[in-house]
Amino acid sequence: MKILVVMLLALVPTASRNVLWVLEGTSCDLPWQAALFKGDKFICGGTLVARNWVLTAAHCHVPGVLHTRPGPSSPHPNADASGSSFISVRLGGRGPKEPGGSEQRRLSSKVISHPRYDPATKDSDLMLVKLLLPVHINERVKPLPLATHCPVPGKTCQISGWGSTTSPEVNFPEDLHCAKVTIVPEEQCQRTYPSSITANMVCAGEHSSRADSCQGDSGGPLVCDGRLQGIVSWGPGICGDPQKPGVYVNICKYIRWIQDTIRRN
């Protein structure tokens, strides 16, 4: 389930394409999981963090594109902080397209990318989407609280999304899928991706099961101890490589910006 930009596949050695990795994951229901659309095209995952706010990745705000997880050098247009392009949000449903009785759909009224988002390095890759109308809170739709501290190496956390369950070939599931990953020490993450990891990023992966986020999971949550710890941001061209964990926005670095932005808007 990882999020990568299709352009990154060209950077992967040809030999790797002969290996089909099936990614660890099971069907699940999460009341905070959001699906973001441009028109009827699914573009990214997201997390409900308040009755009328969804948090996702800034690189998701590129019109007309299904987003994979870009690498740090992938060329992406900057997100439009003015919110001029509308996004529709679906909550409370299992499949990205199929309607359900518990589903709630909302249009965005405002899209606010982090002011320091860098599309070249993917630093500060987060964006808040304000819903035109607040959701109705119930057992199937409810916000996820933000992390209160930075991630602890070795901690087991959960990722979720409608991204591909195989790599490099893509197979998208009908239902929301969840998997367990482990927080990687910052030093190890920096060795894996030299000169690409900032203090605003955190790595997570799983050596034994190859659990990972993948194409179609961008913007989705990394949840630790029942709180939002990260956002799916970028990674290598093939999902599930035990030597190359996924890279997530380190939410603990942005708590004040998230809270201040919600309060001001």
Side-chain angles (χ1 to χ4, degrees):
M1 292 172 15
K2 217 161 192 169
I3 287 170
L4 344 159
V5 173
V6 175
M7 287 177 287
L8 270 186
L9 296 179
L11 303 179
V12 178
T14 303
S16 297
R17 293 172 182 262
N18 297 326
V19 179
L20 178 63
W21 283 346
V22 178
L23 309 181
E24 175 89 359
T26 57
S27 182
C28 59
D29 281 310
L30 299 175
W32 53 78
Q33 181 81 39
L36 277 57
F37 297 82
K38 284 289 183 71
D40 61 355
K41 182 182 289 294
F42 172 75
I43 56 170
C44 273
T47 306
L48 186 71
V49 294
R51 287 189 64 207
N52 58 338
W53 289 94
V54 167
L55 188 62
T56 186
H59 78 257
C60 291
H61 195 35
V62 181
V65 178
L66 167 64
H67 288 282
T68 58
R69 189 193 56 190
S73 60
S74 301
H76 252 297
N78 203 346
D80 178 7
S82 68
S84 60
S85 184
F86 290 102
I87 292 174
S88 60
V89 179
R90 201 281 323 276
L91 294 127
R94 296 192 65 166
K97 295 182 180 179
E98 296 77 9
S102 61
E103 179 179 293
Q104 296 185 41
R105 287 184 177 265
R106 297 292 187 270
L107 289 176
S108 65
S109 64
K110 188 177 294 187
V111 176
I112 306 171
S113 296
H114 194 278
R116 292 195 300 274
Y117 169 55
D118 186 335
T121 65
K122 298 299 171 286
D123 197 31
S124 300
D125 185 16
L126 70 164
M127 175 177 75
L128 278 163
V129 179
K130 185 177 184 180
L131 307 181
L132 190 61
L133 295 173
V135 299
H136 300 294
I137 304 298
N138 54 41
E139 287 302 310
R140 297 300 302 274
V141 177
K142 63 177 65 174
L144 179 68
L146 301 175
T148 56
H149 54 76
C150 289
V152 178
K155 185 72 178 179
T156 298
C157 302
Q158 179 179 263
I159 53 174
S160 55
W162 291 276
S164 179
T165 55
T166 60
S167 185
E169 296 176 12
V170 292
N171 291 282
F172 296 104
E174 293 184 1
D175 292 342
L176 180 67
H177 270 55
C178 296
K180 299 294 185 182
V181 292
T182 301
I183 299 296
V184 174
E186 183 178 356
E187 299 78 10
Q188 180 182 336
C189 187
Q190 290 175 342
R191 287 196 301 270
T192 303
Y193 303 109
S195 304
S196 296
I197 301 299
T198 73
N200 301 319
M201 302 173 185
V202 61
C203 287
E206 193 59 53
H207 281 274
S208 57
S209 67
R210 292 197 173 112
D212 201 358
S213 51
C214 201
Q215 286 181 307
D217 287 325
S218 272
L222 172 70
V223 180
C224 306
D225 293 328
R227 291 180 176 270
L228 183 61
Q229 193 78 68
I231 299 170
V232 181
S233 183
W234 64 271
I238 291 186
C239 318
D241 186 336
Q243 304 303 319
K244 295 183 177 180
V247 185
Y248 299 78
V249 178
N250 198 356
I251 287 295
C252 69
K253 304 293 185 177
Y254 297 100
I255 300 299
R256 177 169 293 182
W257 178 79
I258 294 168
Q259 294 174 339
D260 288 349
T261 300
I262 290 175
R263 185 173 61 252
R264 290 196 305 265
N265 292 274

